[in-house]
Amino acid sequence: MKSRLGALSWILLVVAGLVMGCASPEESYALMEIGWADSMEGAEAESRESGKPLVAVFYVDWGEETASAKFRNETLEAPAVKRFSADFVWVEVDGEARKGMARKYEVKSYPTVIVLRADGLEVGRLDRYKGAEETAEFLEGCLDKAG
């Protein structure tokens, strides 16, 4: 069922892109926005209800020149990553403001991306800054594992 929904989402994006004058699926993905949940608790509830896996992006806001800022401003804005926006429930967690949450998930570096199945089981972890292609490959693998 999920693969059909993913395929349908992809087809709709391509059609929307063509209607809007975009020449390629990548350009259609670039127009997408990741829908961020307001909190980890809300994202967990949404994941359970929807059955979608959850992507938690743990970051710190220590300035624009940090790995966290680069990941959030570049990697997460890349079409290769945005193409997964409808496949997951997404949440950003400020590791400084939510130290207890960072400890709960054993976050040791920033940024850290943790993917959880809808039942809360961790299926993947990406530590430190990674570019768009590596992050997209990671997300694809986690989607397969979350089944």
Side-chain angles (χ1 to χ4, degrees):
M1 179 69 175
K2 285 185 184 182
S3 33
R4 282 202 285 174
L5 288 176
L8 181 59
S9 297
W10 187 85
I11 290 167
L12 290 173
L13 281 172
V14 172
V15 170
L18 293 173
V19 169
M20 295 172 67
C22 293
S24 70
E26 289 77 24
E27 289 175 332
S28 296
Y29 297 138
L31 298 174
M32 296 178 73
E33 292 295 325
I34 293 174
W36 296 100
D38 292 333
S39 68
M40 185 65 167
E41 297 79 7
E44 289 168 334
E46 184 180 340
S47 177
R48 280 190 304 274
E49 290 169 15
S50 69
K52 291 181 182 180
L54 183 153
V55 174
V57 178
F58 285 83
Y59 71 95
V60 287
D61 194 8
W62 292 339
E64 290 303 311
E65 300 301 317
T66 65
S68 284
K70 186 175 180 182
F71 186 79
R72 292 170 73 207
N73 295 330
E74 295 175 16
T75 301
L76 294 176
E77 292 298 322
V81 174
K82 284 183 163 185
R83 75 183 178 100
F84 293 100
S85 63
D87 297 318
F88 294 95
V89 174
W90 295 78
V91 65
E92 290 184 301
V93 182
D94 182 337
E96 282 290 299
R98 302 288 313 267
K99 289 180 182 179
M101 187 68 65
R103 274 193 301 277
K104 174 183 176 183
Y105 286 99
E106 300 178 3
V107 174
K108 305 289 187 224
S109 62
Y110 297 99
T112 292
V113 179
I114 299 172
V115 178
L116 307 171
R117 287 191 330 202
D119 65 4
L121 179 71
E122 183 175 324
V123 294
R125 179 179 294 252
L126 194 64
D127 293 313
R128 304 191 187 279
Y129 174 81
K130 303 292 189 269
E133 292 306 317
E134 189 172 350
T135 301
E137 289 173 12
F138 165 76
L139 292 171
E140 183 75 42
C142 289
L143 201 52
D144 290 342
K145 288 178 190 175

